Amino acid sequence: MNTNDTLIPHIGVVTDIRIDTPDVKTFRVEAPEGGKVFEHMPGQCAMLSIPGVGEAMFSITSSPTNKEFMEFSIKKCGCLTNWLHAMDVGQMITIRGPYGNAFPVETELKGKDLLFIAGGIGLAPLRSVINYVRDKRENYGSIQVIYGSRSKDDLVDYKEILDEWMTDDGVEVDLTIDNAQEGWDGHVGFVPNYVKELNPSTNKTVLVCGPPIMIKFTLAGLKELGFTETQVYTTMELRMKCGVGKCGRCNIGNKYVCKDGPVFRYDQLGELPDEY
Amino acid sequence: MQEAMINKAKQLLADGTVSRVIGWKRGEFAYDITPAVFETAEELEKDFVFDDFTSANVSKYLVKESKKEGKVLVFLKPCDTYSLNQLTKEHRVDRDNIYVVGIPGGPKLDIEKIKAKGITGITSVKNDNFTLKIETLYGEETMPFYEAVLDKCASCKSKKHVTYDELIGEDGDTLESNRFDMVEQLENMTSQERYDFWRSELSKCIRCNACRNVCPACTCENCVFDNPASGIDNKAPADSFEENMFHIIRAFHVAGRCTDCGECSRVCPQHIPLHLLNRKFIKDINSLYGEYQAGADTTSRAPLTDYTADDCEASIVHERGVE
Amino acid sequence: MQVNDNKEFQPLIVAFCCNWCSYAGADLSGTNRLNYPTNVKIIRVPCSCRVNPMFILRAFQKGADGVILCGCHPGDCHYTSGNYFTRRRMTLLFSMLDFLGIERDRTRVEWVSAAEGAKFAATMNEFTEAVKKLGPNRRLEDLRCRKQ
Amino acid sequence: MLRISADKIYELLGAASAAQTVYIPSEREDGEAEFKKYESGMKLTNRLNTLRSAKDFFFPQTEDLVEFKVDGKNIEISDVRKESEDFIIFGVRPCDARSFTILDKVYLVEPVDSFYKNRRDHGTVVTMACSRPAETCFCQTFGIDPTAPEGDCSVWNDGSYYYFKSNTDKGQKFIDSVTSLLEESDTAELDKSIEKTKEVMKKLPLANLSTENFGGDKLNEYFSSDKWAELSESCLGCGTCTFVCPTCQCYDIKDFNTGHGIKRYRCWDSCMYSDFTKMAHGNPRLTQLERFRQRFMHKLVYFPANNNGEFGCVGCGRCLSKCPISMNIVKVMKALEVK
């Protein structure tokens, strides 16, 4: 038995832990001998696990153009993520992947003006794409990022947004938080409303990710503004165990989110039964 | 009987006493009967069935159904009324929202026992004066009625309805049952023999959870075996230990609450005699803490939530019977 | 690897001790320098009543050869009645284990007060001997946990 | 065709089991049949089929995937996979034989499941044509001919003889290994007995059940059908149907702490269970209705959509006889069917 099996993981070492928000940390993962454990495309996911604690699917938040390491922005919300939040640098984890499709950065999205809309931890999968297109700037049109969170403290990657994205030419970043707070002079309000206020040009291609309720209202708002369903991409999550469309958990209609997703164009999503 | 039940149900639906009826629905074959909720006279006419195969205890459905709008009519066999009483006692059902019509009990038939005789292709089963006349695709077969009786009916403990709003037919009495015979037989074996017996039975377990899910005493909102934090939420018995553990814990969780309705053994696809575990607890409780029949009333304290200062010590286990 | 057959079997005993009486009793037996086997692993519980059947089974699963539960004497429970419930529960559980063919001498309940250091040590010695006679737990073990 | 007289079949099984493990359907004390390792003295069952399906041979209920040693911050992974030994499953019914090709469509597509493939590569499936189908049989519905079984080697029994025909190299190897016991003969007797079986098949109560109204393109018709509420009403949410089903293939992956390491294993799981899709932020299939619907939609609509119209059911009838409340795919199909 010397064939590889995708269910048998690799070892990854956590080489850096960044505290993003009170409940989100970003973990840097490298192979024990240095470098990345495997290559991926923006939007793909990986199965991270602590043996004996659990295994779960996380989107890879670093860009494939980063050749040294992978990053995962993880919100504390369950058994495994609590454990991950409590660990220190140097901890080994197991990692397998990459799983799923990716945002079509090399095909449909090429040459397009891009609008990223994210809410809360929903920035994690989009950050991979944003940094990818920033690194391959010549292949894409304008970039606009609309990002909102509960409060200023809950904005993931705030430092990177301020220091890198906002200083980039041709990248427009619009931030919003749910409620007014001291030390915040930016926009206050929910993402879907902010999108409508900003009234982005309808020739942009939209990539949206966030809590289901935010996605729902954002999509409705975009439709009002004149966007069509084929212009909008989103990324999904369901419970997963295998990552390769066999264990049956993330099945919606004839699609498996782990294999056929997690990235779906909105019109494709509409063809699936409403069970996510 | 079926006719009388349908008429009763139609009458109670028509006069507005109830808005729904829980009963049994006819299937594809002679024996595959599904518990169902009927809402109209037409549905009752078409599909309601009561015969030798309507053995399912429908009282557990009342946990859900009694909380819905409108009163629900339920037909309960004597054994099923014990389950309902126990559920009432544990505040799992809204008894005021239930209209119980007591109906005569079994003995009901076990299709598996007929099939175990090698009879296949069954198209109809008729009881002709306690001989079963079984029509099959390969000709007619016969077998004695009592050889096909469900285990739970063969050791019936009571023909008495312990709760009802109305009865169809006469009420019966509690019976001298032989239900502890097999438990006693096992108790008289050596420890090694008992171990071998249970190993051969429990090793068949596929952890389908049918015993748990059908059990009227298992009504926890979130079962310990489904709770990832319990550490025992396994979906399959990965080791012989887990087979033992699952059934010990399950029986323990219903000890003193199990009315001995026998549904666990009836639904077990592997024919594991699970009721023996429950009966062992019942027998122990009866002999150590005084006769107790779960579901016989709605007020008494359950044996495991009760005590007396002069209860026997646990060492009694070491002192009696065969090693 | 050479297997040392001469090495005498030392059973692993798990002792659940209630915080108020038996744990203090164990403590006392220690301060009195009384001997009991080192293979007795004490798990302190707030009351003997805290021990649910799963604890006992889990101990066997993870390698215990015998499980003993110690609590306050009946009538002396810190919480008035905890040990009375324990008594019924454990009687039924042990009876069930016996019914399944698990050797009955692998389980025991003993009431040990805070003043009974000597009784604690004697109970542990005696229980360990009884379990030793039975040999390793094979009927209620999880094969996955057996050390190779 | 090659044949052996019925009284010599155990001689043949004995010869075959000298070279590799042979499993045969045999009866237990309770009258149910199950596959057991053949040893001399054992008898083939008279029951039509085994209680549990034959999928266990390739997709066992639990199997170890990988082991970990955890030491402080370090983790060591050890691959516990072992090359399976060759084995023969004798007497697989045509429905179960078809179930393997359905499982193949899940486990042998990229990325190939090496655990499944390992067993599949080493197992020889010797099928047995049916001669006494039961009332619960509906394999015809899914295009299976119970008198012409698939598998590596097909066997027919006309009462006096067992006839053998190989379909693959593995099947031929099996026949070669027992060839000295077989004699060449015509099939006149066998053909007669097959004709008789075909007559019975026409009379089966479910003979007219058809799939023509189901398939990958029927998602919208059936997903929002108002029949689901009624059908799922009495479902207990147990996993009996799933676990006796030859084609159900969902699994769970779990870790077990042995005290000296972590075993990661997988085991069968059921979409009927309430926690199947439960995650930290909620559960997309909240009630039994959704879970119940998922199981049948998957077999009748989703699976065919992904597999050129092939259905995820083989009509073995196990769920018909084992469901505690007798709710099953046949009742679902009949209730749903829109013309």
Side-chain angles (χ1 to χ4, degrees), chain D residues 65-289:
Chain D
L65 294 179
V66 59
E67 279 175 28
F68 304 99
K69 286 245 180 293
V70 180
D71 177 21
K73 287 181 175 177
N74 290 323
I75 299 171
E76 199 183 304
I77 300 180
S78 49
D79 189 346
V80 292
R81 290 178 298 170
K82 276 196 218 84
E83 196 76 26
S84 163
E85 283 176 5
D86 287 341
F87 62 94
I88 294 168
I89 330 170
F90 182 89
V92 175
R93 290 297 180 186
C95 46
D96 284 2
R98 172 65 65 84
S99 80
F100 299 148
T101 62
I102 290 175
L103 292 177
D104 286 351
K105 291 195 164 102
V106 176
Y107 286 118
L108 296 185
V109 296
E110 280 302 324
V112 172
D113 188 284
S114 66
F115 300 88
Y116 177 84
K117 184 170 185 297
N118 180 20
R119 294 196 177 82
R120 199 80 173 90
D121 286 346
H122 288 274
T124 305
V125 177
V126 181
T127 52
M128 178 76 77
C130 301
S131 52
R132 278 166 69 87
E135 73 278 11
T136 51
C137 289
F138 58 110
C139 62
Q140 305 171 74
T141 303
F142 299 100
I144 298 167
D145 182 352
T147 63
E150 299 160 357
D152 295 313
C153 173
S154 311
V155 181
W156 289 262
N157 175 12
D158 68 355
S160 359
Y161 290 95
Y162 286 89
Y163 297 81
F164 291 79
K165 184 176 110 234
S166 76
N167 307 320
T168 65
D169 290 348
K170 271 198 274 186
Q172 189 56 46
K173 242 177 88 186
F174 165 68
I175 289 187
D176 290 346
S177 73
V178 293
T179 193
S180 60
L181 294 163
L182 301 171
E183 56 179 23
E184 191 66 49
S185 85
D186 64 40
T187 58
E189 286 300 307
L190 175 63
D191 291 343
K192 263 191 245 162
S193 109
I194 290 180
E195 272 319 303
K196 251 170 71 188
T197 310
K198 292 205 162 156
E199 283 308 308
V200 178
M201 280 161 55
K202 284 186 207 149
K203 288 191 290 183
L204 289 177
L206 302 177
N208 295 322
L209 187 69
S210 153
T211 56
E212 82 183 313
N213 292 304
F214 295 92
D217 54 342
K218 295 290 195 294
L219 195 149
N220 297 326
E221 281 97 318
Y222 294 131
F223 187 82
S224 41
S225 165
D226 53 6
K227 292 283 196 304
W228 292 114
E230 191 191 326
L231 288 166
S232 64
E233 192 169 55
S234 43
C235 178
L236 299 173
C238 74
T240 307
C241 52
T242 319
F243 289 177
V244 297
C245 179
T247 64
C248 270
Q249 42 60 223
C250 290
Y251 62 78
D252 191 14
I253 296 178
K254 276 198 161 310
D255 288 355
F256 177 76
N257 189 341
T258 62
H260 43 83
I262 308 288
K263 262 184 200 293
R264 178 163 295 170
Y265 63 98
R266 75 165 161 207
C267 58
W268 297 351
D269 202 345
S270 172
C271 55
M272 289 290 203
Y273 287 161
S274 57
D275 55 352
F276 187 65
T277 50
K278 197 170 160 191
M279 11 176 204
H281 84 59
N283 191 348
R285 297 188 205 133
L286 261 182
T287 68
Q288 199 57 30
L289 185 153

Side-chain angles (χ1 to χ4, degrees), chain B residues 306-318:
Chain B
D306 200 9
Y307 66 89
T308 63
D310 49 5
D311 279 342
C312 62
E313 293 295 336
S315 56
I316 193 163
V317 176
H318 304 88

Side-chain angles (χ1 to χ4, degrees), chain D residues 11-22 38 88 177-178:
Chain D
E11 216 173 294
L12 180 141
L13 291 172
S17 64
Q20 51 186 308
T21 310
V22 178
Y38 177 74
I88 294 168
S177 73
V178 293

Side-chain angles (χ1 to χ4, degrees), chain A residues 26-234:
Chain A
T26 298
F27 302 91
R28 184 174 292 182
V29 177
E30 291 176 44
E33 61 279 3
K36 288 200 282 190
V37 183
F38 47 75
E39 294 295 329
H40 75 284
M41 287 301 283
Q44 283 192 303
C45 306
M47 273 283 191
L48 302 188
S49 151
I50 299 291
V53 179
E55 189 173 43
M57 191 74 109
F58 296 98
S59 55
I60 305 167
T61 182
S62 58
S63 159
T65 49
N66 182 331
K67 293 295 173 200
E68 287 121 58
F69 53 81
M70 282 192 272
E71 279 186 339
F72 297 88
S73 290
I74 296 172
K75 183 167 169 165
K76 192 160 133 179
C77 60
C79 177
L80 176 68
T81 51
N82 269 309
W83 207 99
L84 293 174
H85 270 250
M87 73 187 177
D88 297 321
V89 168
Q91 173 72 45
M92 280 186 177
I93 60 170
T94 75
I95 176 168
R96 57 190 177 94
Y99 294 122
N101 60 0
F103 285 101
V105 282
E106 290 302 318
T107 49
E108 278 98 331
L109 298 187
K110 234 174 181 173
K112 297 273 167 58
D113 292 337
L114 301 176
L115 167 60
F116 297 91
I117 305 174
I121 187 67
L123 187 69
L126 295 187
R127 178 173 166 244
S128 178
V129 199
I130 294 169
N131 283 332
Y132 185 85
V133 298
R134 280 178 56 239
D135 286 337
K136 300 188 181 249
R137 200 66 196 82
E138 64 284 3
N139 292 340
Y140 304 92
S142 71
I143 302 175
Q144 182 181 5
V145 180
I146 304 175
Y147 178 43
S149 209
R150 278 174 303 184
S151 72
K152 180 176 166 235
D153 307 319
D154 288 301
L155 288 166
V156 178
D157 287 308
Y158 191 39
K159 198 170 170 330
E160 181 172 298
I161 295 171
L162 290 181
D163 297 350
E164 297 180 32
W165 300 2
M166 283 187 157
T167 56
D168 246 18
D169 281 340
V171 179
E172 181 192 338
V173 182
D174 303 294
L175 299 176
T176 178
I177 60 174
D178 291 355
N179 296 303
Q181 118 182 61
E182 225 170 280
W184 179 260
D185 52 5
H187 187 272
V188 174
F190 294 127
V191 172
N193 298 334
Y194 193 33
V195 171
K196 277 197 265 181
E197 276 173 40
L198 289 167
N199 195 9
S201 145
T202 53
N203 59 25
K204 291 185 178 183
T205 302
V206 187
L207 291 75
V208 50
C209 184
I213 190 78
M214 181 216 104
I215 296 188
K216 194 178 148 209
F217 283 106
T218 304
L219 289 171
L222 287 169
K223 269 192 181 166
E224 272 176 47
L225 293 174
F227 285 86
T228 61
E229 290 186 348
T230 51
Q231 273 176 284
V232 183
Y233 293 85
T234 186

